[in-house]
Amino acid sequence: MRIEELDSIITSIKSYLELEKASGVEEFYSCAAQDVATVQDGAAGGLAALRKEVLGCRECDLSRTRTNVVFGAGDPKAKLMFIGEAPGADEDAQGLPFVGRAGQLLTKIIEAMGLKRQDVYIANILKCRPPNNRPPLPTEILACRDNVRRQVEMIKPRVICTLGKFASQTLLGTETPISALRGTFHEYNGTKVMPTFHPAYLLRNPEDKKLVWQDMKKVMKEL
Ligand code: URA
């Protein structure tokens, strides 16, 4: 085998392990293939199985244009879960949620709350990127809706923070504007939901950061 081929295999294995780790898989055993066992607790095991299922999803046309499925990442037992809209170009390229400019701002918000990204769980309503970042279509939302519902059921967060109009309205099944939804707790299948502005909106409207911070203080109090 040529050194370049070996290098490429090692890089692929590394990326795979990083994605597995980001999805909650904590340990691998190396042994005979039929005995391969991954040590996980309930939440991580369920999420890893769901992730595997979603990685092969062909329920809508976004599966034709995606580079990677962006399942979600973080602590499978997180008390706080963030839910955004859909992957953008950076997320599609890396297979991880909120890794572009908006993601960097989300990381800052999480850290300002005294947490790390690994302490929370970050997901999106849609798991695949809409071409040119166009708004998700109703058929795509319908096709993907169960995935986020099952993630929430497995993670059982104490609080969900929905980021922006699309995630908030979709999860809560309402057309109320985000400016009216944010700042108070709502409910999704028995879990408290705090809608707030999307970090991408904050990049364009930094004066509203203080409102998001007010919302995050309410979340911190609830946690
Ligand atoms: N915007 C989102 O809603 N989700 C991402 O993962 C990135 C940007």
Side-chain angles (χ1 to χ4, degrees), residues 70 83-88 91 96-100 102-103 122-124 163 198 200:
V70 180
I83 302 180
E85 177 173 326
E91 291 76 22
L96 289 168
F98 281 96
V99 289
I122 306 174
N124 282 302
L163 300 167
H198 194 287

Side-chain angles (χ1 to χ4, degrees), residues 128-197:
C128 298
R129 182 191 182 205
N132 304 315
N133 300 341
R134 64 152 170 74
L137 301 175
T139 47
E140 293 159 358
I141 299 168
L142 205 63
C144 217
R145 207 165 54 174
D146 264 3
N147 295 325
V148 84
R149 179 186 58 74
R150 289 165 75 191
Q151 280 176 311
V152 171
E153 273 173 20
M154 287 172 191
I155 296 164
K156 298 186 176 54
R158 205 176 295 160
V159 176
I160 296 170
C161 177
T162 45
L163 300 167
K165 166 188 150 161
F166 172 83
S168 306
Q169 293 184 340
T170 304
L171 204 75
L172 298 173
T174 175
E175 291 189 356
T176 307
I178 181 65
S179 52
L181 288 172
R182 63 148 288 276
T184 50
F185 281 105
H186 301 256
E187 206 214 284
Y188 171 73
N189 293 347
T191 305
K192 289 200 167 170
V193 177
M194 174 60 76
T196 197
F197 291 127

Side-chain angles (χ1 to χ4, degrees), residues 15-16 18-20 22-23 51 55 66-74 87-100 117 121-124 127-129:
S15 306
Y16 170 78
E18 272 164 23
L19 283 175
E20 287 287 327
S23 300
R51 178 172 173 268
L55 290 194
R66 73 183 177 217
T67 310
N68 284 296
V69 172
V70 180
F71 177 69
D90 295 311
E91 291 76 22
D92 177 60
Q94 295 185 41
L96 289 168
F98 281 96
V99 289
R117 264 179 83 112
Y121 197 90
I122 306 174
N124 282 302
K127 308 303 185 205
C128 298
R129 182 191 182 205

Side-chain angles (χ1 to χ4, degrees), residues 101-102 105-106 108-109 163-164 182 196-213 215-216:
R101 278 186 72 221
L105 180 52
L106 178 60
K108 276 193 191 163
I109 294 168
L163 300 167
R182 63 148 288 276
T196 197
F197 291 127
H198 194 287
Y201 165 86
L202 292 182
L203 290 173
R204 299 188 302 271
N205 301 274
E207 68 281 5
D208 279 345
K209 281 184 187 170
K210 56 183 177 306
L211 296 177
V212 170
W213 187 235
D215 301 345
M216 293 308 101

